[in-house]
Amino acid sequence: MAAATIETCHVACCANRTPNVVSWSRRGTIAFGTCNSVALYDPQERKVVALLSGHTNRVNAVQWVHREDYGPERHLVSAGSDHRLIVWEAQNETVLECKGHTGPVCAVDAIYMDNSQILVVSSASDSTVRLWLCTEGKEAECLHTLSFGSGFMMDVSLARLPGSRVPILACGGDDSRVHLYVQSHGQLHKAMCLQGHEDWVRGVEWASIGGELLLASCSQDCLIRVWRLCAKSGTDARPEDDHTVIKMKEDVFEVKEKDVSSVFALSLETVLAGHENWVYGVHWQPPFYRGDELQQPLSLLSASMDKTMILWAPEEGSGVWVEQVRVGEVGGNTLGFYGCQMSVDGSMIVAHAFNGALHLWCKDQDRKGEWRPGVVISGHFNAVQDLSWDPEGEFILSVGADQTTRLFTPWRKHDSQQATWHEISRPQIHGYDMQCLATVGRFQFVSGADEKVLRVFQAPRNFVENFANISGTSKEQLLTSSDSANLPEGASTPALGLSNKAVFQGDLVQKTCEDEKQFNSVSDQYQESYFHPLNMTEPPPEDHLLQNTLWPEVQKLYGHGFEMFCLASDSARTVVASACKASKAEHASILLWSTSTWRQLQTLPYHTLTVTQMAFSPDAQHLLAVSRDRTWSLWRRHPTTPDNPEPQFSLYAHTEKDTSIHSRIIWSCDWSPDGKYFVTSSRDKKVVFQHLGSVFSLVFFNLRVGTPCGVSWLFDVNDGSRLLFGSRFVPSPPDQRGEGRSYTHSKRARDERARERAGTTMQTD
């Protein structure tokens, strides 16, 4: 029988938390850096169409190379904290690297030269700006290096001088100035320095409008400055001052190209004030063809830490620059926007926030001048630590080091045949890094963080109703199975609190205008409940996820002495096992909890160091645990009796350090679907299979490279079982408590390539 294939259904990711990491192409593809990769996202299809992997550290800057004929882009440039730049070619997937910086690269820009060569400029934290010439089939050549001593250039932008082929470079620095350089004979020569900003210049960008160049610069002084650069003819290159005419001061500089001198003048066009916090990004709407006619709209988009984006344009007639549109995020406790981009036709704008989230707004076609939030991809902005499937397989819960718990489910739009996955709820926004998760029912889960407490959450009524609307499930059936009579409407987090308080229907009573004017106390004036019930038919935007999709916390579980590390629940959803970080045997015990009473049932002592992962057998009769002490333990469940109805476990089998096959920390474990076998993987590069009946090693694989970091048994199409495990192909570092953990979870694994990477598969009856 031919092996089936695995297809990627969804990639949940967000933009890295750097200013220049998002770029929008003329094809409509949004490229953004996510961790060490570059994601290519299609906002129309609402999915990631490709991941470009090549960097070995965080990607800090991404930029499409725009063509002079305004056609679709063919090259993409990315820069990262690995001190490298990578030029990606769209069709042939060729890669060209630029190496030379000695620090993380924070900004990049590029233009096409003659003969399909690409001129790339980059700025890095080594206080240098480098100019590169990239030619297909050759190594990148560093043409020139600008050193700024102890200063830093926060952003760079390249363009061509009007009516010339000479490149001009703008650099915005921490000296509150914009530095202009022109290229001559492969070298960069300083043309002038623009003053006016009173704080760090965070962003610069050129735009070619009607044979002239406009330069927009934004700063931490909350202002945006627009400069106009134009060519001067021989007659007006040095005009005499006419004191009867009021005009802006012009700064003139001269450029020589092939023994021909050209004079250019630069003046301040306007100063835009409207933001109330640092302005991090500016972006011009690019020219585009409407039919056979080239359109060059004069429209500037800005993004700020005040959580708003503003669309600026000059008024017709007067030419005065004014605010046309202001959009942004309301509520939440997050910071503002790092950068912004605009689609070619100007119908969509996107911003990426300090917490990595993308915010998309679309122009409302029915209401002129109005914009509405759009559905966009989302994901964790720090390491994903654990995840768990809904018992019915309809959604996934995940926790991460970004201190959030997120819920993803497929959504099928009415006019679309294909379902796309989206985040529809953020049940927990915590103050500690999340570590582990276990589902204990259809709409209930337990989570653990870098604290000694376990927290139990249950879905509110508003989530159940919205989940039914988005997923297409029967609302009545879901509410019947969820004890709807006692469900709260939603949840909110009090000021300075970590627990989500339930919000009931009585807390949502609308006050009259007279009641709003009268306050009996300070608490009446400043309400703690920020929850507002939503009736959603599509995935919510980021501000709703932050504020209106929390789940109420129904229980706290105390008993561990250190930070939580792992959780597991049995298939019957009656018992939860938990373990915390431990350096002594007294803290390495496993605690069992009843999901009906949330009472501690039993303490299972055996291990001497942190239990790294646990797994119940499919029939819920055995509990497997692996530990930093390089051993595993197997616990068997006793039958319940009328005198003792609570489940009890006893030690059934275990390994010792001197008898164990594993010689390093054991990171992961799992069971086969039939419960006859279990598997463990360790930092010693071994994946070991055990038979439950004989409780001795059946077979093990010794990986030549990499460390297995997660294992999972998966069903196959021929009613057998296969094992899929992942490994990190990096040198194994020394054992460190609480680091390096990873999981592999899925419902199916049929890809032959996965088996080739794993080395082999095991077939059982």
Side-chain angles (χ1 to χ4, degrees):
M1 180 182 295
T5 59
I6 294 178
E7 295 182 358
T8 301
C9 296
H10 178 62
V11 177
C13 58
C14 68
N16 289 334
R17 303 164 76 184
T18 56
N20 305 301
V21 78
V22 178
S23 183
W24 205 327
S25 76
R26 293 182 175 276
R27 295 179 183 271
T29 303
I30 299 177
F32 62 90
T34 175
C35 196
N36 301 348
S37 303
V38 178
L40 302 182
Y41 175 72
D42 188 341
Q44 300 292 340
E45 297 293 332
R46 299 185 178 92
K47 65 178 182 180
V48 173
V49 295
L51 279 175
L52 307 179
S53 300
H55 288 280
T56 58
N57 210 325
R58 186 183 67 178
V59 176
N60 297 326
V62 174
Q63 180 63 50
W64 290 99
V65 185
H66 302 299
R67 295 168 54 178
E68 291 184 275
D69 59 359
Y70 309 115
E73 293 85 354
R74 295 184 293 107
H75 292 90
L76 176 71
V77 183
S78 62
S81 294
D82 55 1
H83 310 172
R84 297 184 304 155
L85 288 83
I86 298 180
V87 181
W88 309 87
E89 207 278 328
Q91 297 179 352
N92 300 325
E93 298 183 359
T94 56
V95 174
L96 185 64
E97 295 186 7
C98 304
K99 299 179 180 179
H101 282 292
T102 58
V105 186
C106 60
V108 66
D109 197 11
I111 59 174
Y112 283 108
M113 300 295 289
D114 299 328
N115 302 323
S116 299
Q117 293 179 322
I118 302 176
L119 189 66
V120 181
V121 63
S122 59
S123 175
S125 61
D126 57 8
S127 300
T128 65
V129 171
R130 290 176 178 262
L131 190 67
W132 312 82
L133 185 63
C134 299
T135 306
E136 188 175 352
K138 298 181 180 179
E139 292 187 1
E141 177 186 359
C142 183
L143 300 179
H144 191 75
T145 301
L146 297 174
S147 180
F148 294 90
S150 59
F152 301 97
M153 293 297 106
M154 315 307 295
D155 197 12
V156 292
S157 182
L158 271 176
R160 296 185 190 276
L161 287 170
S164 171
R165 304 293 297 173
V166 177
I168 182 170
L169 168 66
C171 305
D174 62 353
D175 57 358
S176 308
R177 301 176 180 178
V178 178
H179 303 267
L180 299 184
Y181 295 86
V182 294
Q183 186 190 23
S184 178
H185 304 292
Q187 302 294 307
L188 291 174
H189 301 277
K190 192 164 189 176
M192 65 174 55
C193 183
L194 306 180
Q195 300 185 19
H197 287 294
E198 298 178 354
D199 208 333
W200 290 13
V201 179
R202 281 291 183 174
V204 290
E205 183 168 313
W206 291 103
S208 178
I209 305 292
E212 296 179 337
L213 286 180
L214 291 181
L215 174 64
S217 61
C218 59
S219 169
Q220 292 180 183
D221 60 7
C222 309
L223 298 177
I224 302 166
R225 288 176 174 262
V226 180
W227 316 79
R228 184 180 295 273
L229 189 151
C230 59
K232 306 288 286 187
S233 63
T235 57
D236 59 356
R238 293 289 186 269
E240 295 182 0
D241 292 336
D242 186 355
H243 299 287
T244 63
V245 179
I246 299 176
K247 61 181 181 179
M248 298 297 295
K249 177 185 176 182
E250 289 184 344
D251 293 317
V252 180
F253 63 94
E254 186 177 356
V255 176
K256 290 186 178 181
E257 181 185 10
K258 298 180 180 179
D259 299 330
V260 177
S261 296
S262 302
V263 179
F264 298 89
L266 191 141
S267 61
L268 180 64
E269 172 76 7
T270 185
V271 178
L272 306 178
H275 288 292
E276 299 176 354
N277 209 327
W278 296 357
V279 185
Y280 262 89
V282 285
H283 177 67
W284 295 96
Q285 181 177 351
F288 65 96
Y289 281 98
R290 179 170 291 169
D292 296 332
E293 184 181 355
L294 179 64
Q295 303 285 332
Q296 291 184 320
L298 195 58
S299 181
L300 177 66
L301 183 66
S302 61
S304 169
M305 274 292 161
D306 63 4
K307 301 184 181 180
T308 65
M309 284 198 300
I310 298 179
L311 196 59
W312 309 86
E315 278 187 328
E316 294 183 7
S318 66
V320 177
W321 285 76
V322 295
E323 173 185 320
Q324 300 285 338
V325 177
R326 181 189 290 259
V327 297
E329 176 186 332
V330 180
N333 57 355
T334 59
L335 296 178
F337 298 144
Y338 260 144
C340 55
Q341 291 284 299
M342 187 187 309
S343 64
V344 175
D345 59 359
S347 63
M348 292 188 291
I349 55 179
V350 67
H352 64 285
F354 181 81
N355 61 354
L358 293 177
H359 298 253
L360 179 70
W361 282 271
C362 306
K363 187 180 294 185
D364 198 324
Q365 302 298 330
D366 299 329
R367 300 179 180 178
K368 186 177 181 181
E370 293 192 11
W371 295 69
R372 55 177 176 80
V375 179
V376 71
I377 191 174
S378 64
H380 291 277
F381 62 85
N382 211 331
V384 180
Q385 298 291 73
D386 199 1
L387 55 82
S388 179
W389 279 95
D390 159 46
E392 302 295 329
E394 293 187 355
F395 61 83
I396 295 177
L397 282 165
S398 63
V399 295
D402 60 358
Q403 304 182 352
T404 64
T405 302
R406 304 180 185 234
L407 187 148
F408 300 88
T409 193
W411 169 60
R412 180 176 286 104
K413 197 175 179 180
H414 297 300
D415 56 353
S416 176
Q417 298 296 326
Q418 186 176 7
T420 55
W421 284 73
H422 297 275
E423 180 184 359
I424 66 166
S425 177
R426 203 163 295 173
Q428 184 182 11
I429 301 176
H430 205 32
Y432 294 96
D433 291 358
M434 305 300 299
Q435 291 294 337
C436 48
L437 169 78
T439 55
V440 291
R442 187 69 200 278
F443 296 115
Q444 194 174 44
F445 70 90
V446 185
S447 67
D450 281 341
E451 57 177 346
K452 305 174 184 179
V453 185
L454 289 169
R455 299 174 186 267
V456 186
F457 296 86
Q458 186 172 6
R461 178 195 297 269
N462 190 241
F463 167 80
V464 177
E465 294 174 349
N466 289 327
F467 175 76
N469 294 337
I470 294 174
S471 64
T473 312
S474 170
K475 183 187 304 184
E476 290 74 15
Q477 181 180 355
L478 292 178
L479 290 174
T480 302
S481 63
S482 304
D483 189 17
S484 60
N486 299 321
L487 285 180
E489 286 297 318
S492 65
T493 303
L496 304 180
L498 293 177
S499 301
N500 295 350
K501 282 183 57 178
V503 177
F504 291 91
Q505 186 66 38
D507 302 325
L508 301 174
V509 176
Q510 297 293 330
K511 294 186 177 181
T512 63
C513 297
E514 295 181 358
D515 294 336
E516 292 179 353
K517 296 179 181 178
Q518 299 177 358
F519 302 110
N520 297 325
S521 63
V522 176
S523 60
D524 291 336
Q525 184 176 0
Y526 300 101
Q527 296 290 331
E528 286 191 349
S529 176
Y530 300 106
F531 167 75
H532 300 284
L534 303 173
N535 183 18
M536 298 186 300
T537 57
E538 63 180 21
E542 180 70 15
D543 54 344
H544 287 315
L545 285 172
L546 288 170
Q547 188 168 303
N548 297 320
T549 62
L550 293 172
W551 290 16
E553 181 181 314
V554 297
Q555 192 74 37
K556 290 185 179 70
L557 307 180
Y558 298 91
H560 288 286
F562 288 94
E563 296 89 343
M564 301 307 306
F565 198 84
C566 62
L567 280 167
S569 62
D570 64 350
S571 57
R573 312 297 174 183
T574 58
V575 178
V576 171
S578 62
C580 69
K581 295 180 181 179
S583 57
K584 298 180 181 179
E586 58 182 304
H587 301 297
S589 299
I590 300 170
L591 301 187
L592 299 183
W593 309 85
S594 169
T595 60
S596 58
T597 62
W598 295 116
R599 187 174 61 86
Q600 183 176 324
L601 297 176
Q602 196 177 358
T603 301
L604 306 181
Y606 171 73
H607 294 285
T608 58
L609 294 175
T610 304
V611 174
T612 56
Q613 192 175 3
M614 300 173 292
F616 282 93
S617 60
D619 59 2
Q621 296 303 308
H622 294 86
L623 172 64
L624 176 65
V626 294
S627 169
R628 283 186 62 231
D629 61 13
R630 309 174 188 180
T631 66
W632 57 260
S633 60
L634 187 62
W635 306 81
R636 184 169 57 180
R637 186 173 189 162
H638 295 295
T640 58
T641 61
D643 297 334
N644 190 10
E646 299 287 358
Q648 295 291 317
F649 286 77
S650 62
L651 188 62
Y652 177 61
H654 62 86
T655 56
E656 302 287 350
K657 289 184 179 179
D658 53 350
T659 60
S660 175
I661 294 180
H662 291 300
S663 59
R664 301 292 299 276
I665 178 174
I666 306 177
W667 276 128
S668 188
C669 61
D670 199 15
W671 291 85
S672 62
D674 57 7
K676 296 180 180 179
Y677 306 91
F678 62 88
V679 59
T680 58
S681 65
S682 166
R683 185 172 282 173
D684 61 6
K685 303 180 177 60
K686 294 176 183 176
V687 177
V688 181
F689 306 89
Q690 318 276 349
H691 191 280
L692 181 61
S694 57
V695 199
F696 60 82
S697 247
L698 181 67
V699 65
F700 74 89
F701 298 112
N702 194 347
L703 303 181
R704 295 176 180 267
V705 292
T707 299
C709 54
V711 293
S712 181
W713 283 94
L714 309 158
F715 283 109
D716 196 13
V717 293
N718 55 3
D719 295 331
S721 299
R722 286 188 176 139
L723 178 78
L724 175 68
F725 61 88
S727 63
R728 291 194 184 97
F729 293 94
V730 294
S732 299
D735 285 356
Q736 297 180 12
R737 182 176 64 182
E739 295 184 3
R741 183 160 54 98
S742 177
Y743 295 91
T744 301
H745 292 267
S746 180
K747 301 202 76 170
R748 297 179 181 176
R750 306 167 185 168
D751 197 351
E752 292 292 335
R753 291 176 297 178
R755 298 203 300 272
E756 292 173 3
R757 291 170 187 163
T760 186
T761 56
M762 177 180 173
Q763 188 73 28
T764 63
D765 295 327

